[in-house]
Amino acid sequence: MTPLKLIETTPGAFSLLLNAGTTQVDELVEHLGHEPNGSFWEGVARFLVSTEAENLEGRFSYDPEGGMFCAYGNDRTALQDLGDLMSIVARDGDRMRKLIMTAEAAGFDFDD
């Protein structure tokens, strides 16, 4: 799930974390007109859930900050599944380019 990390913050509570600015696609994201900050990655997560993993909808919450993406909740499996989806995008420039282009064509706002 690199570069994301899934941690148990308290018994039964989990956080999925990504330090913004540490992925293999950061330069590409900037080239495509976005800032690869925590809010951008929340947008990536929301878009992935809405288009590829609707079964994850409502199973966790988001709490990004400028330098970090965070999703949290009690459903470890849902967060693991989100992390698996996001890690592919965070490591594959072609996949990220396609995601951004598809999202923008659909009028999606990454809110970065």
Side-chain angles (χ1 to χ4, degrees):
M1 177 172 16
T2 304
L4 291 101
K5 295 177 187 174
L6 182 60
I7 61 170
E8 188 170 19
T9 55
T10 60
F14 302 91
S15 290
L16 178 66
L17 305 171
L18 171 67
N19 288 324
T22 64
T23 73
Q24 295 174 351
V25 297
D26 290 339
E27 286 184 31
L28 172 64
V29 169
E30 290 174 347
H31 177 75
L32 295 173
H34 295 279
E35 184 177 341
N37 59 24
S39 295
F40 171 80
W41 284 103
E42 178 185 353
V44 169
R46 288 184 183 277
F47 190 75
L48 286 168
V49 168
S50 71
T51 59
E52 298 180 26
E54 292 178 0
N55 63 312
L56 298 179
E57 187 67 48
R59 293 174 61 186
F60 44 78
S61 298
Y62 300 99
D63 187 23
E65 297 188 11
M68 181 179 19
F69 164 81
C70 177
Y72 66 94
N74 299 328
D75 190 336
R76 184 185 195 290
T77 301
L79 289 166
Q80 176 73 48
D81 290 349
L82 176 63
D84 291 343
L85 284 171
M86 291 182 68
S87 70
I88 294 167
V89 176
R91 293 179 288 137
D92 183 339
D94 290 336
R95 181 72 172 89
M96 176 57 83
R97 182 183 304 279
K98 181 179 176 184
L99 183 142
I100 289 174
M101 293 175 71
T102 302
E104 289 177 346
F108 185 82
D109 181 10
F110 287 98
D111 196 28
D112 57 333

